[in-house]
Amino acid sequence: MLAWLDSLNPFWLHLSSFALMFLEGMGIPGIPGFLPMLALSESIHAAQTTLWEALLSGTLGNWLGSLMGYRLAASLLTCLPQSWQRLARSKRTARLMQRYGGLLVVVSRTIGSLRTPVTLYAGASGYAWPAYLGWSALGAALHVGIWQTLIWRFGPQILEQFGQLQGQALPYLIGAAVIAAALAWWRWKRRGPLEEEVLEG
């Protein structure tokens, strides 16, 4: 795996980091943004790229994605349940965003369960665009900066341990597959004569 990661062109890794962070920034749940971060950490250690370039591509993608999510909030909200739409457009949500919007936007960049509703509610409730612009930039920089730095620092150890675990577990997985295949064959062979006896009877 390490050899394969070392062979990848850093340009495509940065592009994939930007794209996944863009989708994540929009508020789309389940985006595995840590995968290109992990791959970029190996490229950084192999001196094929730098930490600053990785931070730039990820932060820019996350930030621009959050701005796109804000702009599309009104149209995206129509695809969600009526309860979400009423909540997003309520006066209570607008007051909450006015009072704690900056903190919510920053925190939502890292906490996935908050990212989607905060992005949608900010756009749908009319939260000030200049404020969202600044707070989302700070949130993206903190989110990508902390995670990419941690993965850069500990990524090689994670990959090395994964490789060792994979090597240790492979014989057991092969053994389990062989046993499962043998049991399935034995049950099939055993069922054959029984079915013939039932048909003859």
Side-chain angles (χ1 to χ4, degrees), residues 120-160:
L120 291 174
Y121 294 171
S125 66
Y127 184 69
W129 170 252
Y132 187 83
L133 199 70
W135 288 118
S136 60
L138 176 61
L142 289 174
H143 170 57
V144 175
I146 291 171
W147 281 107
Q148 182 66 77
T149 303
L150 287 174
I151 292 174
W152 161 71
R153 178 66 181 81
F154 300 106
Q157 291 92 320
I158 295 172
L159 289 172
E160 185 178 347

Side-chain angles (χ1 to χ4, degrees), residues 68-125:
M68 180 64 73
Y70 176 98
R71 287 301 189 187
L72 294 176
S75 56
L76 291 174
L77 202 63
T78 59
C79 303
L80 298 176
Q82 289 293 326
S83 58
W84 278 55
Q85 297 183 39
R86 286 193 297 269
L87 182 60
R89 296 191 173 104
S90 68
K91 293 181 178 179
R92 182 180 178 185
T93 300
R95 287 196 300 268
L96 182 67
M97 290 303 300
Q98 290 297 329
R99 189 168 185 180
Y100 303 108
L103 178 63
L104 288 172
V105 171
V106 171
V107 172
S108 70
R109 292 300 92 201
T110 298
I111 300 177
S113 58
L114 290 177
R115 189 178 302 118
T116 302
V118 168
T119 303
L120 291 174
Y121 294 171
S125 66

